Amino acid sequence: MTIEAIDFGRLYRDHLAMSQRTRKDPSAWDSRAAGMASKALRSRYADEFVARMDLSGAASLLDVGCGPGTIGLAVAGQLQRVVGLDYSSAMLDAMRSKAAESGLGNVETLHRAWEDDWSDVPQCDIVVASRSTTVEDIATALERLHAKARLRVYLTHLVGGHFTDPAIQAVIGRRMPSVPDYIYLLNILHRMGIHPRLDYIAHENRLADAVDFDDFARRVAWSVGELDAHETECLRSWYQRATPQQRRGTPMRWAFISWEKVPC
């Protein structure tokens, strides 16, 4: 068998199914919108993402899975039009509110999910998808990003297959199957005739700035699901004896994948 015979889109879907990962519904993200919005414009991750972007010749940007506008708002001052797309209405509200606070009149939003009808989603010079590509059908998602871009696409996708530090999984005695990581995307893009650039962004995981144990436990539960009494006590016991460095855990790593849109 050669690599050309492998359907990486199907492998991705099979891997995601085996991970038993349950997609969070919009209301789950709605509940996090306010907290994420407060950090949206002061994020080292966003700074590193934007530093890798080339906005030359661009007037418009589509931010897919935009959240509270972490990337779109960071570059809106350099563009004529920014469109944020997300399936969480509260995230879109937060993006519009932040845009108004910053005096940005060129920001608009679309309430859409990856799998919805995108016929009214505008084509833009730049398309970004920041930490939003763990979707059921990644091959179709990549095709959509490519189709909506006139000039360039920028996205980040998880490295290593785990949103929760495996060391924390071991503490609570729950081993979470990995989710498909970035290597699938590279192979699917290769099949599409696209030869992307690859870089990496590393930053502290979301447990690092937990203010106390209750906050820490809530953050763990967000990623792995509700903790039972035994798991909570195991986590509490570990937390009480862990060093600050151990509580911070290993950094998250994201693959930064980008490509130029070659004119037809």
Side-chain angles (χ1 to χ4, degrees):
M1 178 182 288
T2 65
I3 195 169
E4 286 77 13
I6 300 172
D7 183 345
F8 285 98
R10 178 175 179 179
L11 281 181
Y12 172 99
R13 294 192 300 274
D14 290 346
H15 187 161
L16 187 64
M18 289 189 298
S19 76
Q20 302 173 9
R21 179 176 173 80
T22 302
R23 182 189 183 190
K24 290 181 170 59
D25 61 29
S27 64
W29 290 105
D30 288 348
S31 67
R32 293 191 62 197
M36 290 178 64
S38 68
K39 302 175 183 178
L41 299 182
R42 50 182 177 85
S43 161
R44 185 171 63 83
Y45 165 86
D47 291 342
E48 293 199 31
F49 191 110
V50 170
R52 290 165 169 79
M53 295 174 66
D54 176 9
L55 299 182
S56 61
S60 58
L61 178 142
L62 172 65
D63 188 350
V64 179
C66 61
T70 304
I71 303 302
L73 295 182
V75 297
Q78 304 173 61
L79 300 166
Q80 296 176 16
R81 184 188 191 192
V82 170
V83 181
L85 182 152
D86 206 290
Y87 75 151
S88 163
S89 58
M91 289 291 185
L92 298 177
D93 290 342
M95 184 177 187
R96 290 192 299 270
S97 177
K98 282 291 181 182
E101 289 176 15
S102 302
L104 296 168
N106 59 337
V107 175
E108 58 195 87
T109 60
L110 278 173
H111 190 203
R112 298 285 186 283
W114 279 97
E115 63 273 15
D116 287 345
D117 178 10
W118 277 27
S119 59
D120 63 341
V121 175
Q123 190 178 47
C124 291
D125 297 320
I126 306 290
V127 173
V128 302
S130 169
R131 300 183 293 193
S132 64
T133 53
T134 304
V135 297
E136 292 186 9
D137 185 349
I138 191 59
T140 297
L142 291 172
E143 290 170 358
R144 285 187 160 192
L145 295 177
H146 188 68
K148 293 299 180 181
R150 294 193 190 95
L151 298 177
R152 302 171 199 102
V153 179
Y154 300 97
L155 65 85
T156 47
H157 194 89
L158 184 67
V159 174
H162 291 282
F163 290 99
T164 302
D165 190 333
I168 298 297
Q169 298 178 35
V171 166
I172 63 174
R174 193 191 299 190
R175 174 64 177 173
M176 306 294 293
S178 68
V179 297
D181 82 350
Y182 75 100
I183 203 68
Y184 289 92
L185 281 67
L186 297 182
N187 283 290
I188 293 168
L189 289 169
H190 180 270
R191 179 62 60 85
M192 292 169 61
I194 296 170
H195 304 289
R197 294 183 178 88
L198 175 64
D199 198 354
Y200 299 93
I201 298 175
H203 68 99
E204 289 187 329
N205 67 55
R206 63 183 305 269
L207 302 178
D209 61 349
V211 297
D212 56 22
F213 173 74
D214 289 340
D215 186 24
F216 190 90
R218 279 194 297 269
R219 296 180 186 215
V220 171
W222 168 264
S223 294
V224 305
E226 185 176 354
L227 304 179
D228 63 27
H230 176 69
E231 291 170 332
T232 300
E233 283 311 305
C234 288
L235 187 62
R236 187 189 304 276
S237 177
W238 174 87
Y239 183 89
Q240 290 172 344
R241 66 177 185 272
T243 66
Q245 179 59 46
Q246 289 172 324
R247 292 175 184 175
R248 283 194 293 272
T250 57
M252 291 284 292
R253 293 188 72 212
W254 298 91
F256 184 92
I257 300 170
S258 62
W259 66 91
E260 301 274 340
K261 187 72 176 287
V262 178
C264 297

